[in-house]
Amino acid sequence: MGNCSPSCLHKMGTNPLSRFAFLDASRGVAILLMVIYHFSYDLDYFHFVDWDLYNSPYWIHFRSLIVTLFISIAGISLALACRHTLITTAYLRRLSLLIACALLISIVSYLMFQHRYIFFGILHFIAVASILGLLFVRRFWLSLSVGVLCLFVGGWVQHPLFNQPSLQWFGLMTHKPRTEDYVPLLPWFGVFLIGIACGEQLQRLTKTLKRFTQTMQQTGHPLLIWLGKRSLWIYLLHQPLLMGVLWLGMTIKRLFG
């Protein structure tokens, strides 16, 4: 088969893309960790606790772990989606949904936080990476080498040029921008590309993956798989629900405390 470049968008698969349960379960773990992190953030936001989520090494590393899980799984998923031929309608439908949800997050966060609004968070990143990543699928060594290079450049290179608002999405800034969620292209595209490389290797283990998938579906963790299949909607809805409950609790505390 040829490389899954932008030209593969014009090829239509005849069979629906099979879903690997281990990816859903892994995404479910990331969702659980994300809910824990955001609930901790909400507790601090409503002054139930006093935790330094912006500067504490523990919370910084915890967030980095969650972002790494989501992005690497997204890279693996893209590689597996192109393992035969990319299903154009499914890809474009999900990409359009990601872009729409990313814009919604920007609008809502602007209404809530004004100048700290989310202009390039996790959904914005995954949408852009899903487009750029098509140039690298089915190219193991290219995705691996460029991925490592992105990690190195994103981790060590900084320049004032990238501090200007129009380039902050790219990374390489000399300081973190004022925003509630920031996932710049560098170094995180390196994680995405390494995920693609891992996905390429997983394709060689098709029979093993199928057996593992069947085992997980029969005796595995149905809750994690369920969460993983609905990760986008949980991402969109969990914060309004958590913040609504805590706001109600704070209001009741003020009235009767």
Side-chain angles (χ1 to χ4, degrees):
M1 300 295 290
N3 289 310
C4 185
S5 61
S7 61
C8 75
L9 289 174
H10 303 292
K11 300 176 182 178
M12 293 296 295
T14 56
N15 297 316
L17 177 65
S18 61
R19 179 183 290 273
F20 291 108
F22 82 98
L23 278 180
D24 287 328
S26 301
R27 198 178 291 110
V29 170
I31 281 289
L32 284 178
L33 294 177
M34 178 195 67
V35 171
I36 293 172
Y37 178 85
H38 283 162
F39 184 63
S40 302
Y41 171 90
D42 296 341
L43 288 174
D44 180 73
Y45 180 81
F46 286 107
H47 306 293
F48 286 101
V49 297
D50 184 17
W51 294 333
D52 189 1
L53 278 79
Y54 293 105
N55 300 302
S56 168
Y58 171 80
W59 291 111
I60 291 174
H61 294 323
F62 188 28
R63 177 188 178 275
S64 296
L65 171 63
I66 297 169
V67 175
T68 299
L69 285 174
F70 274 120
I71 291 177
S72 59
I73 291 170
I76 294 171
S77 298
L78 182 62
L80 294 178
C82 288
R83 67 191 187 277
H84 299 305
T85 183
L86 187 65
I87 301 176
T88 310
T89 53
Y91 171 83
L92 293 178
R93 183 170 58 248
R94 180 159 183 80
L95 180 62
S96 300
L97 182 60
L98 277 172
I99 293 173
C101 291
L103 291 175
L104 178 64
I105 290 294
S106 293
I107 294 171
V108 172
S109 62
Y110 181 79
L111 295 175
M112 291 184 61
F113 304 110
Q114 278 76 50
H115 297 299
R116 292 189 62 89
Y117 81 101
I118 300 171
F119 62 89
F120 204 78
I122 185 70
L123 292 186
H124 305 72
F125 170 87
I126 292 178
V128 173
S130 296
I131 298 173
L132 298 177
L134 292 176
L135 299 172
F136 295 88
V137 292
R138 298 185 190 171
R139 294 169 173 165
F140 171 78
W141 288 110
L142 179 64
S143 58
L144 181 61
S145 57
V146 175
V148 172
L149 179 63
C150 287
L151 290 178
F152 176 79
V153 173
W156 294 96
V157 176
Q158 296 179 340
H159 195 280
L161 172 67
F162 297 95
N163 291 341
Q164 56 184 311
S166 62
L167 293 178
Q168 289 180 359
W169 63 274
F170 191 77
L172 308 185
M173 295 181 60
T174 60
H175 62 84
K176 185 181 182 297
R178 293 176 57 83
T179 177
E180 290 298 312
D181 186 27
Y182 182 55
V183 185
L185 192 65
L186 295 179
W188 290 108
F189 191 54
V191 177
F192 188 86
L193 290 179
I194 292 173
I196 288 178
C198 291
E200 300 295 340
Q201 291 300 302
L202 287 175
Q203 293 182 62
R204 303 178 182 181
L205 304 174
T206 303
K207 293 182 179 179
T208 301
L209 284 175
K210 286 183 177 179
R211 288 196 298 268
F212 184 62
T213 295
Q214 291 172 354
T215 301
M216 287 201 68
Q217 289 174 335
Q218 295 170 2
T219 62
H221 305 279
L223 175 60
L224 293 178
I225 294 174
W226 187 89
L227 291 173
K229 289 181 178 180
R230 296 157 179 83
S231 57
L232 179 60
W233 300 113
I234 295 173
Y235 176 84
L236 292 174
L237 297 176
H238 79 285
Q239 269 294 65
L241 290 174
L242 289 176
M243 297 190 82
V245 170
L246 290 177
W247 177 84
L248 181 62
M250 183 183 66
T251 302
I252 293 174
K253 182 180 178 180
R254 287 178 177 176
L255 291 174
F256 302 102

